[in-house]
Coordinates of all heavy atoms in Angstrom, one line a residue:
M1164 N 0.0 277.9 -80.3 CA -1.2 277.2 -80.2 C -1.6 276.7 -81.6 O -1.7 277.4 -82.5 CB -2.3 278.1 -79.6 CG -3.7 277.5 -79.6 SD -4.9 278.7 -79.0 CE -6.0 277.7 -78.1
R1165 N -1.9 275.4 -81.7 CA -2.3 274.8 -82.9 C -3.8 274.8 -83.0 O -4.5 274.4 -82.1 CB -1.8 273.4 -83.0 CG -2.0 272.7 -84.4 CD -1.4 271.4 -84.5 NE 0.0 271.4 -84.5 CZ 0.7 271.6 -85.7 NH1 0.1 271.8 -86.8 NH2 2.0 271.6 -85.6
I1166 N -4.3 275.2 -84.2 CA -5.7 275.2 -84.5 C -6.1 273.9 -85.3 O -5.4 273.7 -86.3 CB -6.2 276.4 -85.2 CG1 -5.8 277.7 -84.4 CG2 -7.6 276.4 -85.6 CD1 -6.0 279.0 -85.2
N1167 N -7.0 273.1 -84.8 CA -7.4 272.0 -85.6 C -8.1 272.4 -86.8 O -8.9 273.3 -86.8 CB -8.2 271.0 -84.7 CG -7.4 270.3 -83.7 OD1 -6.3 270.0 -83.9 ND2 -8.0 270.0 -82.6
C1168 N -8.0 271.6 -87.9 CA -8.6 271.8 -89.1 C -9.6 270.8 -89.4 O -9.3 269.6 -89.3 CB -7.5 271.8 -90.2 SG -8.0 272.3 -91.8
Y1169 N -10.8 271.2 -89.8 CA -11.9 270.2 -90.0 C -12.5 270.5 -91.4 O -12.4 271.6 -91.9 CB -13.0 270.4 -89.0 CG -12.6 270.0 -87.6 CD1 -12.0 270.9 -86.7 CD2 -12.7 268.7 -87.2 CE1 -11.5 270.5 -85.5 CE2 -12.3 268.3 -85.9 CZ -11.7 269.2 -85.1 OH -11.3 268.8 -83.8
A1170 N -13.1 269.4 -92.0 CA -13.7 269.5 -93.3 C -14.9 268.6 -93.3 O -14.9 267.6 -92.6 CB -12.7 269.3 -94.4
Y1171 N -15.8 268.8 -94.2 CA -16.9 267.9 -94.5 C -16.5 266.9 -95.5 O -16.0 267.3 -96.6 CB -18.1 268.7 -95.0 CG -19.3 267.9 -95.3 CD1 -20.1 267.4 -94.2 CD2 -19.7 267.6 -96.6 CE1 -21.2 266.6 -94.5 CE2 -20.8 266.8 -96.9 CZ -21.5 266.3 -95.8 OH -22.6 265.5 -96.1
C1172 N -16.6 265.6 -95.2 CA -16.3 264.6 -96.1 C -17.6 264.2 -96.9 O -18.6 263.7 -96.3 CB -15.8 263.4 -95.3 SG -15.4 261.9 -96.4
K1173 N -17.5 264.4 -98.2 CA -18.7 264.0 -99.0 C -19.0 262.5 -99.0 O -20.2 262.1 -99.2 CB -18.5 264.5 -100.4 CG -18.4 266.0 -100.5 CD -18.2 266.5 -102.0 CE -18.0 268.0 -102.0 NZ -17.6 268.4 -103.4
T1174 N -18.0 261.7 -98.9 CA -18.2 260.3 -99.0 C -18.9 259.8 -97.7 O -19.9 259.0 -97.8 CB -16.8 259.6 -99.1 OG1 -16.1 260.1 -100.2 CG2 -17.0 258.1 -99.2
T1175 N -18.4 260.2 -96.5 CA -19.0 259.7 -95.3 C -20.1 260.6 -94.8 O -20.9 260.2 -93.9 CB -18.0 259.5 -94.2 OG1 -17.4 260.8 -93.9 CG2 -16.9 258.6 -94.6
K1176 N -20.2 261.8 -95.4 CA -21.2 262.8 -94.9 C -21.0 263.2 -93.4 O -22.0 263.4 -92.7 CB -22.6 262.3 -95.2 CG -22.9 262.1 -96.7 CD -24.4 261.8 -96.9 CE -24.8 261.9 -98.3 NZ -24.3 261.1 -99.3
K1177 N -19.8 263.3 -93.0 CA -19.4 263.7 -91.7 C -18.4 264.7 -91.7 O -17.6 264.8 -92.6 CB -18.9 262.5 -90.9 CG -19.9 261.4 -90.7 CD -19.3 260.2 -89.9 CE -20.3 259.1 -89.8 NZ -19.8 257.9 -89.1
V1178 N -18.3 265.5 -90.6 CA -17.2 266.4 -90.4 C -16.1 265.7 -89.8 O -16.2 265.0 -88.8 CB -17.6 267.6 -89.5 CG1 -16.5 268.5 -89.2 CG2 -18.8 268.4 -90.2
V1179 N -14.9 265.8 -90.4 CA -13.7 265.0 -90.0 C -12.5 266.0 -89.8 O -12.5 267.0 -90.4 CB -13.4 263.9 -91.0 CG1 -14.5 262.9 -91.0 CG2 -13.1 264.5 -92.4
R1180 N -11.6 265.5 -89.0 CA -10.3 266.2 -88.9 C -9.5 266.0 -90.1 O -9.5 264.9 -90.7 CB -9.5 265.7 -87.7 CG -9.7 266.4 -86.5 CD -8.9 266.0 -85.3 NE -7.8 265.1 -85.6 CZ -6.8 264.9 -84.8 NH1 -6.6 265.6 -83.7 NH2 -5.9 264.0 -85.1
V1181 N -9.0 267.1 -90.6 CA -8.2 267.0 -91.8 C -6.7 266.7 -91.4 O -6.1 267.4 -90.7 CB -8.2 268.4 -92.6 CG1 -7.2 268.3 -93.8 CG2 -9.6 268.7 -93.1
M1182 N -6.3 265.5 -91.9 CA -4.9 265.1 -91.7 C -4.1 265.3 -93.0 O -4.6 265.7 -94.0 CB -4.9 263.6 -91.3 CG -5.8 263.3 -90.1 SD -5.4 264.2 -88.6 CE -4.1 263.1 -88.0
I1183 N -2.8 265.0 -92.9 CA -1.9 265.3 -94.0 C -2.4 264.7 -95.3 O -2.4 265.3 -96.4 CB -0.5 265.0 -93.7 CG1 0.5 265.4 -94.8 CG2 -0.3 263.5 -93.4 CD1 0.7 266.9 -94.8
K1184 N -2.8 263.4 -95.3 CA -3.2 262.7 -96.5 C -4.5 263.4 -97.1 O -4.5 263.6 -98.3 CB -3.5 261.3 -96.2 CG -3.7 260.4 -97.5 CD -5.1 260.4 -97.9 CE -5.4 259.5 -99.1 NZ -6.8 259.3 -99.4
D1185 N -5.4 263.8 -96.3 CA -6.6 264.5 -96.7 C -6.2 265.8 -97.4 O -6.8 266.2 -98.4 CB -7.5 264.8 -95.6 CG -7.9 263.5 -94.8 OD1 -8.3 262.5 -95.5 OD2 -7.8 263.6 -93.6
A1186 N -5.3 266.6 -96.8 CA -4.8 267.8 -97.4 C -4.1 267.6 -98.7 O -4.3 268.4 -99.7 CB -3.9 268.5 -96.4
I1187 N -3.3 266.6 -98.8 CA -2.6 266.3 -100.1 C -3.7 266.0 -101.2 O -3.6 266.5 -102.3 CB -1.7 265.1 -99.9 CG1 -0.5 265.6 -99.1 CG2 -1.2 264.6 -101.3 CD1 0.4 264.4 -98.6
V1188 N -4.6 265.2 -100.9 CA -5.7 264.8 -101.9 C -6.4 266.1 -102.3 O -6.7 266.3 -103.5 CB -6.6 263.8 -101.3 CG1 -7.9 263.6 -102.2 CG2 -5.9 262.4 -101.2
E1189 N -6.8 266.9 -101.3 CA -7.6 268.1 -101.6 C -6.8 269.1 -102.5 O -7.3 269.7 -103.4 CB -8.0 268.8 -100.4 CG -8.8 270.1 -100.6 CD -10.1 269.9 -101.4 OE1 -10.7 268.8 -101.4 OE2 -10.5 270.8 -102.1
R1190 N -5.5 269.2 -102.2 CA -4.6 270.0 -103.0 C -4.5 269.6 -104.5 O -4.6 270.4 -105.4 CB -3.2 270.1 -102.4 CG -2.2 271.0 -103.1 CD -2.5 272.4 -102.9 NE -1.4 273.2 -103.3 CZ -1.5 274.3 -104.1 NH1 -2.6 274.7 -104.5 NH2 -0.4 274.9 -104.5
F1191 N -4.4 268.3 -104.7 CA -4.4 267.8 -106.0 C -5.7 268.0 -106.7 O -5.8 268.3 -107.9 CB -3.9 266.3 -106.1 CG -2.4 266.1 -106.0 CD1 -1.9 265.4 -105.0 CD2 -1.6 266.7 -107.0 CE1 -0.5 265.3 -104.9 CE2 -0.2 266.6 -106.9 CZ 0.3 265.8 -105.8
R1192 N -6.8 267.8 -106.0 CA -8.1 268.1 -106.6 C -8.2 269.6 -107.0 O -8.7 269.9 -108.1 CB -9.2 267.8 -105.6 CG -9.5 266.3 -105.4 CD -10.7 266.0 -104.5 NE -11.0 264.6 -104.6 CZ -11.3 263.9 -103.6 NH1 -11.3 264.4 -102.4 NH2 -11.5 262.6 -103.8
Q1193 N -7.8 270.5 -106.2 CA -7.8 271.9 -106.5 C -6.9 272.2 -107.8 O -7.4 272.9 -108.7 CB -7.2 272.7 -105.3 CG -8.0 272.8 -104.1 CD -7.3 273.6 -103.0 OE1 -6.1 273.9 -103.1 NE2 -8.1 273.8 -101.9
L1194 N -5.7 271.6 -107.8 CA -4.8 271.9 -108.9 C -5.4 271.3 -110.2 O -5.3 272.0 -111.3 CB -3.5 271.3 -108.6 CG -2.7 272.0 -107.5 CD1 -1.5 271.1 -107.1 CD2 -2.2 273.3 -108.0
C1195 N -6.0 270.2 -110.2 CA -6.6 269.6 -111.4 C -7.8 270.5 -111.8 O -8.0 270.7 -113.0 CB -7.1 268.2 -111.1 SG -5.7 267.0 -111.1
A1196 N -8.6 270.9 -110.9 CA -9.7 271.8 -111.2 C -9.3 273.1 -111.8 O -9.8 273.6 -112.8 CB -10.6 272.0 -110.0
E1197 N -8.3 273.7 -111.2 CA -7.7 275.0 -111.7 C -7.2 274.8 -113.2 O -7.3 275.8 -113.9 CB -6.6 275.4 -110.8 CG -7.0 276.0 -109.5 CD -5.8 276.2 -108.6 OE1 -4.6 276.2 -109.1 OE2 -6.0 276.5 -107.4
R1198 N -6.6 273.7 -113.4 CA -6.0 273.5 -114.8 C -6.9 272.7 -115.7 O -6.5 272.4 -116.8 CB -4.7 272.7 -114.6 CG -3.7 273.5 -113.8 CD -2.6 272.6 -113.2 NE -1.8 273.4 -112.3 CZ -0.5 273.5 -112.3 NH1 0.2 273.0 -113.3 NH2 0.1 274.3 -111.4
S1199 N -8.1 272.4 -115.3 CA -9.1 271.7 -116.1 C -8.6 270.4 -116.7 O -8.7 270.2 -117.9 CB -9.6 272.6 -117.2 OG -10.3 273.8 -116.7
I1200 N -7.9 269.6 -115.8 CA -7.4 268.3 -116.2 C -8.1 267.2 -115.4 O -8.4 267.4 -114.2 CB -5.9 268.2 -116.2 CG1 -5.3 268.4 -114.8 CG2 -5.2 269.2 -117.2 CD1 -3.9 268.1 -114.7
S1201 N -8.2 266.1 -116.0 CA -8.8 264.9 -115.3 C -7.7 264.3 -114.5 O -6.5 264.5 -114.7 CB -9.4 264.0 -116.2 OG -8.4 263.3 -117.0
Y1202 N -8.1 263.4 -113.6 CA -7.1 262.6 -112.8 C -6.3 261.6 -113.7 O -5.1 261.4 -113.5 CB -7.8 261.8 -111.7 CG -8.5 262.7 -110.7 CD1 -9.8 262.5 -110.4 CD2 -7.9 263.9 -110.2 CE1 -10.5 263.3 -109.5 CE2 -8.6 264.7 -109.4 CZ -9.9 264.5 -109.0 OH -10.5 265.3 -108.2
T1203 N -6.9 261.2 -114.8 CA -6.3 260.3 -115.8 C -5.2 261.1 -116.5 O -4.1 260.7 -116.7 CB -7.3 259.7 -116.8 OG1 -8.2 258.9 -116.0 CG2 -6.6 258.8 -117.8
Q1204 N -5.5 262.4 -116.9 CA -4.6 263.2 -117.5 C -3.4 263.5 -116.6 O -2.2 263.6 -117.0 CB -5.2 264.5 -118.0 CG -6.1 264.4 -119.1 CD -6.9 265.6 -119.4 OE1 -7.5 266.2 -118.5 NE2 -6.9 266.1 -120.6
L1205 N -3.7 263.8 -115.3 CA -2.7 264.0 -114.3 C -1.7 262.8 -114.2 O -0.5 263.0 -114.2 CB -3.3 264.3 -112.9 CG -2.3 264.4 -111.7 CD1 -1.3 265.5 -111.9 CD2 -3.1 264.5 -110.4
A1206 N -2.3 261.6 -114.2 CA -1.4 260.4 -114.2 C -0.5 260.4 -115.4 O 0.7 260.1 -115.3 CB -2.3 259.2 -114.1
R1207 N -1.1 260.6 -116.6 CA -0.3 260.5 -117.8 C 0.8 261.6 -117.8 O 1.9 261.3 -118.2 CB -1.3 260.8 -119.0 CG -0.8 260.2 -120.3 CD -1.8 260.3 -121.4 NE -3.0 259.4 -121.1 CZ -4.3 259.9 -121.1 NH1 -4.5 261.1 -121.4 NH2 -5.3 259.1 -120.8
L1208 N 0.5 262.8 -117.4 CA 1.5 263.8 -117.3 C 2.6 263.5 -116.3 O 3.8 263.9 -116.5 CB 0.9 265.2 -116.9 CG 0.0 265.8 -117.8 CD1 -0.8 267.0 -117.1 CD2 0.7 266.4 -119.0
S1209 N 2.3 262.7 -115.3 CA 3.2 262.4 -114.2 C 4.0 261.1 -114.4 O 4.9 260.8 -113.6 CB 2.4 262.3 -112.9 OG 1.7 263.5 -112.7
G1210 N 3.6 260.3 -115.4 CA 4.3 259.1 -115.6 C 3.9 258.0 -114.6 O 4.7 257.1 -114.4
I1211 N 2.7 258.1 -114.1 CA 2.3 257.0 -113.2 C 0.9 256.5 -113.7 O 0.3 257.1 -114.6 CB 2.1 257.5 -111.7 CG1 1.1 258.6 -111.6 CG2 3.5 258.0 -111.2 CD1 0.8 259.1 -110.2
T1212 N 0.5 255.4 -113.2 CA -0.8 254.8 -113.7 C -2.0 255.5 -113.1 O -1.9 256.0 -112.0 CB -0.9 253.3 -113.3 OG1 -0.9 253.2 -111.9 CG2 0.3 252.5 -113.8
P1213 N -3.0 255.6 -113.9 CA -4.3 256.2 -113.4 C -4.8 255.5 -112.1 O -5.3 256.2 -111.2 CB -5.3 256.0 -114.5 CG -4.4 256.0 -115.8 CD -3.2 255.3 -115.3
S1214 N -4.5 254.2 -112.0 CA -5.0 253.5 -110.8 C -4.3 254.0 -109.5 O -4.8 254.0 -108.5 CB -4.8 252.0 -110.9 OG -3.5 251.6 -111.1
T1215 N -3.0 254.4 -109.7 CA -2.3 255.0 -108.6 C -2.9 256.3 -108.1 O -3.1 256.5 -106.9 CB -0.8 255.3 -108.9 OG1 -0.2 254.0 -109.3 CG2 0.0 255.9 -107.8
V1216 N -3.3 257.1 -109.1 CA -4.0 258.4 -108.7 C -5.3 258.2 -108.1 O -5.6 258.7 -107.0 CB -4.1 259.3 -110.0 CG1 -4.9 260.6 -109.6 CG2 -2.8 259.7 -110.5
Y1217 N -6.1 257.3 -108.7 CA -7.5 257.0 -108.1 C -7.4 256.3 -106.7 O -8.2 256.6 -105.9 CB -8.3 256.2 -109.1 CG -8.8 257.1 -110.2 CD1 -8.2 257.0 -111.5 CD2 -9.9 257.9 -110.1 CE1 -8.6 257.9 -112.5 CE2 -10.3 258.7 -111.1 CZ -9.7 258.7 -112.3 OH -10.1 259.5 -113.3
S1218 N -6.4 255.5 -106.5 CA -6.1 254.9 -105.2 C -5.8 256.0 -104.2 O -6.3 255.9 -103.1 CB -5.0 253.9 -105.3 OG -4.7 253.3 -104.1
L1219 N -5.0 256.9 -104.6 CA -4.6 258.0 -103.7 C -5.8 258.8 -103.2 O -5.9 259.2 -102.1 CB -3.6 259.0 -104.4 CG -3.4 260.3 -103.8 CD1 -2.1 260.2 -102.9 CD2 -3.1 261.4 -104.9
L1220 N -6.8 258.9 -104.1 CA -8.0 259.7 -103.8 C -9.0 259.0 -102.9 O -9.9 259.7 -102.3 CB -8.7 260.1 -105.1 CG -8.0 260.9 -106.1 CD1 -8.7 261.0 -107.4 CD2 -7.7 262.3 -105.5
Q1221 N -8.8 257.7 -102.7 CA -9.8 257.0 -101.8 C -9.6 257.3 -100.4 O -8.5 257.3 -99.9 CB -9.6 255.5 -102.0 CG -9.9 255.0 -103.4 CD -9.6 253.5 -103.6 OE1 -8.9 252.9 -102.8 NE2 -10.1 253.0 -104.7
P1222 N -10.7 257.7 -99.7 CA -10.6 258.1 -98.3 C -10.1 257.0 -97.3 O -9.4 257.4 -96.4 CB -12.0 258.4 -97.9 CG -12.8 258.5 -99.2 CD -12.1 257.8 -100.2
E1223 N -10.3 255.8 -97.7 CA -9.8 254.7 -96.7 C -8.3 254.5 -96.8 O -7.7 253.9 -95.9 CB -10.6 253.4 -97.0 CG -10.6 252.9 -98.4 CD -11.6 253.5 -99.3 OE1 -12.5 254.3 -98.8 OE2 -11.6 253.2 -100.5
R1224 N -7.7 255.0 -97.9 CA -6.3 254.8 -98.0 C -5.6 255.9 -97.2 O -5.9 257.1 -97.4 CB -5.8 254.9 -99.4 CG -4.3 254.7 -99.6 CD -3.9 254.4 -101.0 NE -2.5 254.4 -101.0 CZ -1.7 254.7 -102.1 NH1 -2.3 255.0 -103.2 NH2 -0.4 254.6 -102.0
R1225 N -4.8 255.6 -96.2 CA -4.2 256.6 -95.3 C -2.8 257.0 -95.6 O -2.4 258.1 -95.2 CB -4.3 256.1 -93.9 CG -5.7 255.8 -93.4 CD -6.7 256.9 -93.6 NE -6.3 258.3 -93.2 CZ -6.9 259.4 -93.8 NH1 -7.8 259.3 -94.6 NH2 -6.4 260.5 -93.4
D1226 N -2.1 256.2 -96.4 CA -0.7 256.6 -96.7 C -0.5 257.0 -98.1 O -1.1 256.5 -99.0 CB 0.2 255.4 -96.4 CG 0.2 255.0 -94.9 OD1 0.2 255.9 -94.1 OD2 0.2 253.7 -94.7
V1227 N 0.4 258.0 -98.2 CA 0.8 258.5 -99.6 C 2.3 258.5 -99.7 O 2.9 259.0 -98.8 CB 0.2 259.9 -99.8 CG1 0.6 260.5 -101.1 CG2 -1.3 260.0 -99.6
S1228 N 2.8 258.0 -100.7 CA 4.2 258.0 -100.9 C 4.7 259.4 -101.3 O 4.2 260.1 -102.1 CB 4.6 257.0 -102.1 OG 5.8 257.3 -102.6
A1229 N 5.9 259.8 -100.7 CA 6.5 261.1 -101.0 C 6.9 261.1 -102.5 O 6.9 262.1 -103.2 CB 7.7 261.3 -100.1
V1230 N 7.3 259.9 -103.0 CA 7.8 259.8 -104.4 C 6.6 260.1 -105.3 O 6.7 260.8 -106.3 CB 8.4 258.5 -104.7 CG1 8.7 258.3 -106.2 CG2 9.7 258.3 -103.9
T1231 N 5.4 259.5 -105.0 CA 4.2 259.8 -105.8 C 3.8 261.2 -105.8 O 3.5 261.8 -106.8 CB 3.0 258.9 -105.2 OG1 3.4 257.5 -105.3 CG2 1.8 259.1 -106.0
V1232 N 3.9 261.9 -104.6 CA 3.6 263.3 -104.5 C 4.5 264.1 -105.4 O 4.1 265.0 -106.2 CB 3.6 263.8 -103.1 CG1 3.5 265.4 -103.1 CG2 2.5 263.2 -102.3
K1233 N 5.8 263.8 -105.4 CA 6.8 264.5 -106.2 C 6.5 264.2 -107.7 O 6.6 265.2 -108.5 CB 8.2 264.0 -105.8 CG 9.3 264.5 -106.6 CD 9.5 266.0 -106.4 CE 10.8 266.6 -107.0 NZ 10.6 267.2 -108.3
K1234 N 6.2 263.0 -108.1 CA 5.9 262.7 -109.5 C 4.7 263.5 -110.0 O 4.7 264.0 -111.1 CB 5.7 261.2 -109.7 CG 7.0 260.4 -109.7 CD 6.7 259.0 -109.9 CE 8.0 258.1 -109.9 NZ 7.7 256.7 -110.2
L1235 N 3.7 263.6 -109.1 CA 2.5 264.3 -109.5 C 2.8 265.8 -109.6 O 2.3 266.5 -110.6 CB 1.4 264.1 -108.5 CG 0.8 262.7 -108.5 CD1 -0.1 262.4 -107.3 CD2 0.0 262.4 -109.8
C1236 N 3.6 266.3 -108.7 CA 4.0 267.7 -108.8 C 4.8 268.0 -110.1 O 4.6 269.0 -110.8 CB 4.9 268.1 -107.6 SG 3.9 268.3 -106.1
D1237 N 5.7 267.0 -110.4 CA 6.5 267.2 -111.7 C 5.6 267.2 -112.9 O 5.8 268.0 -113.8 CB 7.5 266.0 -111.8 CG 8.6 266.1 -110.8 OD1 8.8 267.1 -110.1 OD2 9.3 265.0 -110.6
G1238 N 4.6 266.3 -112.9 CA 3.6 266.3 -114.0 C 2.9 267.6 -114.1 O 2.5 268.0 -115.2
L1239 N 2.7 268.3 -113.0 CA 2.0 269.6 -113.0 C 3.0 270.8 -113.2 O 2.5 271.9 -113.2 CB 1.2 269.8 -111.7 CG 0.0 268.8 -111.5 CD1 -0.5 268.9 -110.1 CD2 -1.1 269.1 -112.5
D1240 N 4.2 270.4 -113.4 CA 5.3 271.5 -113.5 C 5.2 272.4 -112.3 O 5.2 273.6 -112.4 CB 5.2 272.2 -114.8 CG 6.4 273.0 -115.1 OD1 7.5 272.6 -114.7 OD2 6.3 274.0 -115.8
L1241 N 5.1 271.8 -111.1 CA 5.0 272.6 -109.8 C 6.0 272.0 -108.9 O 6.2 270.8 -108.7 CB 3.6 272.3 -109.3 CG 3.2 273.0 -108.0 CD1 2.9 274.4 -108.2 CD2 1.9 272.3 -107.5
S1242 N 6.7 273.0 -108.2 CA 7.7 272.5 -107.3 C 7.1 272.0 -106.0 O 5.9 272.4 -105.7 CB 8.7 273.7 -106.9 OG 8.0 274.6 -106.0
I1243 N 7.7 271.1 -105.3 CA 7.2 270.6 -104.1 C 7.0 271.7 -103.1 O 6.0 271.6 -102.3 CB 8.1 269.4 -103.6 CG1 7.3 268.5 -102.6 CG2 9.3 269.9 -102.9 CD1 6.6 267.4 -103.3
I1244 N 7.8 272.7 -103.1 CA 7.7 273.8 -102.1 C 6.3 274.5 -102.4 O 5.6 274.8 -101.5 CB 8.8 274.8 -102.3 CG1 10.2 274.1 -101.9 CG2 8.6 276.1 -101.5 CD1 10.3 273.8 -100.5
D1245 N 6.1 274.8 -103.7 CA 4.8 275.5 -104.1 C 3.6 274.6 -103.8 O 2.5 275.1 -103.5 CB 4.9 275.9 -105.6 CG 5.8 277.0 -105.8 OD1 6.1 277.8 -104.9 OD2 6.3 277.1 -106.9
F1246 N 3.8 273.3 -104.0 CA 2.6 272.4 -103.7 C 2.2 272.6 -102.2 O 1.0 272.7 -101.9 CB 3.0 270.9 -103.9 CG 1.9 270.0 -103.6 CD1 0.8 269.8 -104.4 CD2 2.0 269.2 -102.4 CE1 -0.2 268.9 -104.1 CE2 1.0 268.4 -102.0 CZ -0.1 268.2 -102.9
Y1247 N 3.1 272.5 -101.3 CA 2.8 272.6 -99.9 C 2.6 274.0 -99.4 O 2.1 274.2 -98.2 CB 3.9 271.9 -99.0 CG 3.8 270.4 -99.1 CD1 4.8 269.7 -99.8 CD2 2.8 269.7 -98.5 CE1 4.8 268.3 -99.9 CE2 2.7 268.3 -98.6 CZ 3.7 267.6 -99.3 OH 3.6 266.2 -99.4
D1248 N 2.9 275.0 -100.2 CA 2.7 276.4 -99.7 C 1.3 276.9 -99.9 O 1.0 277.7 -100.8 CB 3.7 277.3 -100.5 CG 3.7 278.7 -99.9 OD1 3.3 278.9 -98.8 OD2 4.1 279.6 -100.7
C1249 N 0.4 276.3 -99.1 CA -1.0 276.8 -99.2 C -1.6 276.6 -97.8 O -1.1 275.9 -97.0 CB -1.8 276.1 -100.3 SG -2.2 274.4 -99.9
D1250 N -2.8 277.2 -97.6 CA -3.4 277.1 -96.3 C -3.8 275.7 -95.8 O -3.9 275.5 -94.6 CB -4.7 278.0 -96.3 CG -4.4 279.5 -96.4 OD1 -3.3 279.9 -96.0 OD2 -5.3 280.3 -96.8
L1251 N -4.0 274.8 -96.7 CA -4.4 273.5 -96.4 C -3.4 272.8 -95.4 O -3.7 272.0 -94.6 CB -4.5 272.6 -97.6 CG -5.7 272.7 -98.5 CD1 -5.5 272.0 -99.8 CD2 -6.9 272.2 -97.8
F1252 N -2.1 273.2 -95.5 CA -1.0 272.6 -94.8 C -0.6 273.4 -93.6 O 0.3 272.9 -92.8 CB 0.2 272.3 -95.7 CG -0.2 271.4 -96.8 CD1 -0.4 271.9 -98.1 CD2 -0.3 270.0 -96.6 CE1 -0.8 271.0 -99.1 CE2 -0.7 269.2 -97.6 CZ -0.9 269.7 -98.9
R1253 N -1.2 274.5 -93.3 CA -0.7 275.4 -92.3 C -1.2 275.1 -90.9 O -0.5 275.4 -89.9 CB -1.0 276.9 -92.6 CG -0.2 277.3 -93.8 CD -0.1 278.8 -93.9 NE 0.9 279.1 -95.0 CZ 0.5 279.3 -96.3 NH1 -0.7 279.1 -96.7 NH2 1.4 279.5 -97.2
N1254 N -2.3 274.5 -90.7 CA -2.9 274.2 -89.4 C -3.3 272.8 -89.2 O -4.3 272.5 -88.5 CB -4.2 275.1 -89.2 CG -3.8 276.6 -89.1 OD1 -2.9 277.0 -88.4 ND2 -4.5 277.4 -89.9
L1255 N -2.5 271.9 -89.8 CA -2.8 270.4 -89.6 C -2.6 270.0 -88.2 O -1.6 270.4 -87.5 CB -2.0 269.6 -90.5 CG -2.3 269.7 -92.0 CD1 -1.2 269.0 -92.8 CD2 -3.6 269.2 -92.4
P1256 N -3.5 269.1 -87.7 CA -3.3 268.6 -86.3 C -2.1 267.6 -86.3 O -1.8 267.1 -87.4 CB -4.6 267.9 -86.0 CG -5.1 267.5 -87.3 CD -4.7 268.6 -88.3
P1257 N -1.6 267.2 -85.2 CA -0.6 266.2 -85.1 C -1.1 264.9 -85.6 O -2.3 264.5 -85.3 CB -0.2 266.1 -83.6 CG -0.8 267.3 -83.0 CD -1.9 267.8 -83.9
E1258 N -0.3 264.1 -86.3 CA -0.7 262.8 -86.8 C -0.7 261.8 -85.6 O -1.4 260.8 -85.6 CB 0.2 262.3 -87.9 CG 0.0 263.1 -89.2 CD -1.2 262.8 -90.0 OE1 -1.7 261.6 -90.0 OE2 -1.7 263.7 -90.7
I1259 N 0.1 262.0 -84.6 CA 0.2 261.1 -83.5 C -0.7 261.6 -82.4 O -0.6 262.8 -82.0 CB 1.7 261.0 -83.0 CG1 2.6 260.5 -84.1 CG2 1.8 260.2 -81.7 CD1 4.1 260.6 -83.7
E1260 N -1.5 260.8 -81.9 CA -2.5 261.2 -80.8 C -2.1 260.6 -79.5 O -1.5 259.6 -79.4 CB -3.9 260.8 -81.2 CG -4.4 261.5 -82.4 CD -5.8 261.2 -82.7 OE1 -6.6 260.9 -81.8 OE2 -6.2 261.3 -83.9

């Protein structure tokens, strides 16, 4: 049995279902906060442009490149396995409805 995951969206001020893109964004927010680095610093460490990182964070953008996720993980010196090994990714609802 799959449990749906919900979260409060500060931008829209609504409770929304958490999808994979939302979980990825939240995970990068957590990691940046834990390491006390800005999104611009994350971009610099990862060899991507700050605009790519800020675009990823926008709620209206629904797709995230696997290559971008890998580069951001590399910049954080974090394996892709460790990135996805957290509760955010354990109860995601199906993307196809």
Side-chain angles (χ1 to χ4, degrees):
M1164 175 185 213
R1165 184 176 290 276
I1166 300 169
N1167 286 329
C1168 187
Y1169 293 89
Y1171 179 75
C1172 178
K1173 293 178 185 176
T1174 305
T1175 63
K1176 296 186 169 62
K1177 295 180 182 178
V1178 175
V1179 295
R1180 266 185 7 161
V1181 175
M1182 303 303 275
I1183 186 75
K1184 190 268 184 173
D1185 305 311
I1187 289 168
V1188 168
E1189 182 56 30
R1190 181 73 167 131
F1191 280 119
R1192 284 188 171 133
Q1193 289 174 353
L1194 291 166
C1195 286
E1197 286 171 12
R1198 296 162 191 234
S1199 300
I1200 62 171
S1201 69
Y1202 302 130
T1203 301
Q1204 289 171 308
L1205 173 61
R1207 204 171 295 126
L1208 291 168
S1209 305
I1211 61 176
T1212 64
S1214 64
T1215 299
V1216 174
Y1217 285 100
S1218 176
L1219 168 91
L1220 299 172
Q1221 294 174 350
E1223 55 276 354
R1224 180 165 178 209
R1225 298 311 314 154
D1226 295 321
V1227 178
S1228 159
V1230 173
T1231 299
V1232 172
K1233 177 67 170 99
K1234 285 180 178 182
L1235 292 169
C1236 288
D1237 290 348
L1239 293 169
D1240 197 27
L1241 182 71
S1242 77
I1243 201 84
I1244 299 291
D1245 290 335
F1246 176 78
Y1247 285 110
D1248 187 24
C1249 74
D1250 289 338
L1251 285 168
F1252 300 102
R1253 291 203 172 85
N1254 294 309
L1255 291 173
E1258 293 283 331
I1259 300 172
E1260 294 185 28

